Amino acid sequence: MSNNQNVPILTPEQRKIALDKALEARKVRAKVAEMLSNGELTIEELLETTDKYVKRMKIEKILRCFPGVGKARVPRIMDRLDISMNRSIAGLGERQKKALIKFVNEEVEKN
């Protein structure tokens, strides 16, 4: 028995639409990451977004946009902020948002 039983069979047109949506999501997220890195977008502005693609960005990827925060440091930061490694913007609670904002504004801005 195959594990692909629950995967919907798409027509070529449906597949093209899905691929186009995925490409658009990647472009939007890449632009947001670039804006965070350049300081054109604040963490507060990011967390207030209503864009469906941006809200699905993982906190791990967001943290890595900031100078001095790399692959090795992210798990320690997220553990300190009590945020799961697979959490997205949409999944953050108010306490976690406040902790993330405080961390970025106090710790990251120093670098």
Side-chain angles (χ1 to χ4, degrees):
M1 207 183 275
S2 173
N3 286 340
N4 294 332
Q5 287 182 347
N6 295 332
V7 177
I9 297 172
L10 301 176
T11 66
E13 182 179 309
Q14 290 171 322
R15 180 173 162 74
K16 170 106 174 77
I17 291 169
L19 289 171
D20 289 345
K21 279 178 67 175
L23 179 61
E24 176 66 20
R26 286 192 299 274
K27 284 181 180 178
V28 168
R29 291 182 191 134
K31 180 66 178 166
V32 167
E34 181 183 331
M35 290 172 69
L36 275 174
S37 294
N38 296 338
E40 298 172 38
L41 180 69
T42 67
I43 190 70
E44 293 88 351
E45 292 168 334
L46 177 67
L47 294 177
E48 291 174 4
T49 189
T50 57
D51 184 283
K52 64 183 178 182
Y53 298 132
V54 176
K55 287 172 67 170
R56 289 184 175 172
M57 285 183 76
K58 299 291 183 191
I59 302 304
E60 172 188 9
K61 300 281 187 201
I62 292 166
L63 284 171
R64 290 176 63 187
C65 293
F66 296 105
V69 180
K71 222 177 195 177
R73 196 169 168 212
V74 167
R76 292 191 306 256
I77 294 167
M78 291 186 69
D79 187 51
R80 189 171 101 194
L81 300 177
D82 198 27
I83 299 174
S84 171
M85 283 297 289
N86 63 352
R87 187 70 62 199
S88 67
I89 292 174
L92 288 179
E94 285 305 312
R95 182 187 52 76
Q96 291 170 319
K97 286 180 183 179
K98 288 178 183 174
L100 183 59
I101 290 169
K102 182 177 180 187
F103 170 80
V104 169
N105 290 336
E106 293 178 3
E107 302 282 331
V108 175
E109 296 301 320
K110 291 179 188 175
N111 292 332

